[in-house]
Amino acid sequence: MQIKIGDTTFEIVKGDITKQEVDAIVNAANPRLTPGGGVSGAIHRAAGKELWEECKKLGGCKTGEAKITRGYKLKAKYVIHTVGPVYKGSIEDEKLLASCYKNSLKLALEHNIKSIAFPAISTGVYGYPMEEAAKVAIKTIIDFLKENEGLELVRLVLYNDKAYEIHKKVMEEIIREME
Ligand code: ADP
């Protein structure tokens, strides 16, 4: 499913973040930027050990912030590492998750990146309920694209049918509210 915001295509797809042919993929990283498991483990495995060598030098990353590295063996030229909040059920969760998307998109523009793919940040080990996270992700991306030009494609990559269906429903609701 896709929509157009200004000149930018925003789409949700089912797939594997490591396989995306875009300028940058986003990693749902941990504060030390270690490979770990989940999306991060998969990205580090696909990129090769040079990615960890570069991450080591960055001095970690705070929750809600983002840092950029090269993509090494990935098809993507860059990896943007952002640290999602561990879900606690407080108002801070939403702010921090929104910051992850905003700061990653800002970093992409600063590096002249035209296409970027995100996973569903914080919805795995970090425990953010999928539908709540989808609302924050989709609203934040749309708001950013309304205010900023320069990106050609923003893609949200969902790992399974359930995650895709939830995001599709949320995106339809948000589009309806916009009309
Ligand atoms: P976090 O620690 O931020 O919760 P996780 O890596 O545990 O991050 O999971 C984030 C989301 O990414 C989960 O919904 C998970 O199902 C999904 N995911 C796991 N592997 C991949 C992959 N290769 N591509 C895209 N999404 C993935």
Side-chain angles (χ1 to χ4, degrees):
M1 170 175 194
Q2 63 174 222
I3 57 168
K4 203 90 172 155
I5 313 280
D7 290 331
T8 311
T9 299
F10 171 38
E11 65 182 11
I12 58 169
V13 303
K14 190 183 124 184
D16 181 339
I17 193 85
T18 65
K19 306 269 162 62
Q20 303 301 309
E21 296 189 33
V22 288
D23 295 339
I25 62 170
V26 177
N27 181 18
N30 59 67
R32 292 194 300 136
L33 301 179
T34 55
V39 176
S40 182
I43 290 174
H44 277 270
R45 271 195 301 280
K49 67 175 186 331
E50 289 117 313
L51 180 59
W52 168 228
E53 295 302 323
E54 187 176 354
C55 282
K56 266 184 202 171
K57 298 175 191 152
L58 297 178
C61 183
K62 292 191 184 121
T63 303
E65 295 184 359
K67 294 205 174 167
I68 192 165
T69 65
R70 303 196 59 82
Y72 300 99
K73 293 193 185 115
L74 294 164
K75 285 178 183 142
K77 189 173 174 199
Y78 298 102
V79 179
I80 292 175
H81 306 262
T82 187
V83 180
V86 175
Y87 186 75
K88 296 191 185 70
S90 77
I91 188 75
E92 285 303 304
D93 299 331
E94 193 176 326
K95 281 189 199 152
L96 289 168
L97 187 60
S99 292
C100 287
Y101 286 94
K102 260 182 272 179
N103 286 326
S104 298
L105 290 164
K106 265 192 217 161
L107 207 48
L109 285 181
E110 285 163 19
H111 287 263
N112 208 25
I113 285 161
K114 298 291 175 198
S115 54
I116 180 170
F118 286 91
I121 298 163
S122 282
T123 62
V125 176
Y126 283 2
Y128 214 116
M130 189 68 75
E131 185 167 345
E132 293 311 305
K135 285 180 190 163
V136 176
I138 292 169
K139 273 191 192 141
T140 305
I141 291 169
I142 290 176
D143 286 347
F144 185 90
L145 295 179
K146 282 182 176 167
E147 287 165 18
N148 296 276
E149 289 175 4
L151 288 161
E152 286 164 15
L153 174 70
V154 178
R155 180 181 289 159
L156 204 45
V157 181
L158 292 324
Y159 205 41
N160 54 47
D161 288 325
K162 178 112 193 284
Y164 179 79
E165 288 308 321
I166 291 170
H167 281 74
K168 183 166 173 276
K169 189 191 101 181
V170 167
M171 189 144 151
E172 284 165 353
E173 283 166 6
I174 291 172
I175 292 168
R176 223 174 297 133
E177 282 168 17
M178 278 164 49
E179 282 165 357

